[in-house]
Amino acid sequence: MPVYLPIANLSVNGLLIVALGGLTGILSGLFGVGGGFLTTPLLIFYGIPPTVAAASAATQVTGASVSGVFAHSRRGGVDYRMGAVMVGGGVFGAMIGALLFRFFQSIGQIDVVINILYVVMLGTIGSLMLREALEAIKPDMIKKRSAPKRRHHPLVAALPMRWRFYRSGLYISPLAPLILGVLVGILTMLMGVGGGFILVPAMLYILGMSGNVVVGTSLFQILFVTMVTTMTHALTTKAVDIVLAGLLLLGSVMGAQFGTQIALKARPEILRLILAAIVLVVAARMLFGLGVQPDEIYTVAPL
């Protein structure tokens, strides 16, 4: 089923793109991640230009985050005050990311920058996840251990002007979530990811947030920041392909249902091991691609 992508300026197999969205949806249901950090590399492997892949993946993440926010909100799993601070930082970060995107695009290096960012981020995250999964599988790790007391990072405690975030159970400076939001906003703009795979661990281990509001608050921030990112891409870089984003969203909605059912029956540590392996394979493939001469050395772009 050939489908023409007007912004990417190429024809693709529509069913294959839907299946790709379904794969990321399954990963979302299995592991509780948006899947955007894998959607963009897989689209690049398929032949979609990195700029269009990143911008369109951000659009898909926006749509996929809506239902998650409503679900967590109904059970009281969203800290709206914390989320609002991070959204403010994320919007500011997205603006910075847009300037960086246009700069690297103007010097013809945006594709290389996107690929390098993915290699670094996926390699780091995949390695950490692999180590955690292997430790969880070891027999000597099965012994019950007392959970360490939850507390925020010393650098967070040193920041001035503290606020109370009642739902998160924190009394910290709003500068900490604001700075975190800025960093995630920049990455969202450049890489087309929601940032949940960075945001959730940071909220747990750096801010020290309560675990029952981390995912919902993360989705709340991701929803608004990817919304701003999508609008910014549409107005500035003109790289959002709505046809591509629609096909991906269709597949991810269906795939998430299957992933959720599988997650109910599988061992969490085995799932983390599988996801770590997938992430490292994708990172290795992108690293390999950076060192190989492309089939088309030159490209022609309109003035």
Side-chain angles (χ1 to χ4, degrees):
M1 188 182 80
V3 176
Y4 179 70
L5 304 180
I7 303 301
N9 194 27
L10 53 85
S11 182
V12 298
N13 187 323
L15 293 178
L16 187 58
I17 298 298
V18 172
L20 178 58
L23 175 61
T24 57
I26 291 174
L27 292 176
S28 176
L30 276 174
F31 308 110
V33 296
F37 67 100
L38 285 177
T39 302
T40 303
L42 293 176
L43 287 174
I44 294 173
F45 296 162
Y46 185 69
I48 306 296
T51 51
V52 177
S56 303
T59 307
Q60 179 212 9
V61 173
T62 302
S65 300
V66 174
S67 60
V69 170
F70 282 122
H72 286 280
S73 179
R74 283 195 296 269
R75 67 170 185 81
V78 180
D79 186 334
Y80 290 103
R81 191 177 196 188
M82 178 71 75
V85 173
M86 288 195 293
V87 166
V91 171
F92 182 68
M95 299 299 104
I96 297 175
L99 295 176
L100 292 173
F101 196 102
R102 292 298 298 272
F103 169 72
F104 288 119
Q105 195 175 41
S106 66
I107 63 175
Q109 298 298 319
I110 185 62
D111 292 357
V112 176
V113 169
I114 291 175
N115 278 277
I116 291 175
L117 283 174
Y118 267 104
V119 169
V120 174
M121 296 302 300
L122 294 181
T124 302
I125 293 168
S127 299
L128 293 174
M129 290 179 61
L130 181 63
R131 186 180 66 179
E132 180 188 352
L134 291 175
E135 288 179 350
I137 293 174
K138 288 180 182 178
D140 58 340
M141 297 296 292
I142 298 178
K143 298 178 182 178
K144 187 176 180 180
R145 297 177 299 179
S146 58
K149 185 179 180 181
R150 180 173 55 86
R151 61 187 296 266
H152 44 263
H153 195 276
L155 291 177
V156 175
L159 294 174
M161 195 178 64
R162 295 190 174 191
W163 289 4
R164 289 198 181 277
F165 297 93
Y166 293 99
R167 198 172 291 278
S168 296
L170 294 177
Y171 181 54
I172 61 173
S173 170
L175 294 176
L178 186 70
I179 294 171
L180 180 59
V182 170
L183 295 176
V184 172
I186 294 173
L187 291 177
T188 300
M189 190 70 196
L190 290 176
M191 302 171 64
V193 298
F197 64 101
I198 299 172
L199 195 57
V200 170
M203 291 163 74
L204 283 171
Y205 303 119
I206 297 179
L207 299 184
M209 288 178 60
S210 173
N212 61 346
V213 297
V214 164
V215 175
T217 307
S218 171
L219 287 173
F220 179 81
Q221 192 264 4
I222 289 169
L223 171 62
F224 287 97
V225 174
T226 53
M227 190 183 301
V228 171
T229 299
T230 298
M231 294 176 62
T232 304
H233 269 301
L235 295 174
T236 59
T237 66
K238 307 293 192 300
V240 177
D241 196 310
I242 195 64
V243 177
L244 175 60
L247 293 173
L248 289 171
L249 186 58
L250 176 63
S252 64
V253 170
M254 295 186 296
Q257 306 303 317
F258 292 104
T260 303
Q261 295 301 318
I262 297 173
L264 295 175
K265 303 176 182 178
R267 292 175 57 189
E269 59 271 17
I270 298 298
L271 293 179
R272 287 199 300 271
L273 182 62
I274 295 173
L275 179 60
I278 294 173
V279 169
L280 288 174
V281 168
V282 173
R285 172 61 181 83
M286 297 197 78
L287 180 62
F288 175 76
L290 283 171
V292 175
Q293 179 175 301
D295 296 331
E296 298 179 2
I297 301 178
Y298 303 100
T299 58
V300 178
L303 297 176

